[in-house]
Amino acid sequence: MPQAICHHCNSTFSWHWEEAFAKWGFLAGQGQLKTDTVQEALTDADYEVEVRALGECNTVICSIKKDGKELIPQGIKIGYVHPRLFLPCSIIELLDRKFPSKTPYDGL
């Protein structure tokens, strides 16, 4: 499971890449956000990624494009549907490799 150091208290915390797609991810935006880290991993793999605010504190990935084609299906209520249910297998596999976890994310 990915880990990071808190900027406020210097303690280690664990997170899941799926939180970058969840309204309640990263403690509903009250924790340290890692959405930009997931966005960077996708951008490094030649995806075009857009992020937007969802609520007052949190940001989520709302668009992923490859060669100009949107890969998040139209009609998905971003932030409320588990990303493993709508993301293409290639993106899930990429993010699982980049940010491995031994426990599933059940925050949605």
Side-chain angles (χ1 to χ4, degrees), residues 5-12:
I5 302 295
C6 176
H7 297 308
H8 303 288
C9 67
N10 289 326
S11 63
T12 302

Side-chain angles (χ1 to χ4, degrees), residues 30-98:
Q30 299 301 311
Q32 188 169 317
L33 301 180
K34 300 303 285 178
T35 303
D36 60 335
T37 303
V38 177
Q39 178 183 20
E40 183 178 320
L42 291 166
T43 301
D44 288 348
D46 295 324
Y47 292 97
E48 299 171 48
V49 182
E50 290 182 36
V51 174
R52 74 164 186 234
L54 192 59
E56 293 186 26
C57 302
N58 211 352
T59 59
V60 296
I61 293 173
C62 62
S63 173
I64 303 173
K65 293 179 182 176
K66 183 76 165 191
D67 300 323
K69 180 182 176 192
E70 179 60 56
L71 300 177
I72 294 178
Q74 194 172 31
I76 292 294
K77 194 167 181 183
I78 299 293
Y80 300 93
V81 178
H82 200 291
R84 290 182 181 274
L85 297 176
F86 64 83
L87 289 176
C89 292
S90 57
I91 291 177
I92 293 170
E93 290 169 2
L94 167 74
L95 295 175
D96 281 347
R97 267 192 324 273
K98 188 80 174 166

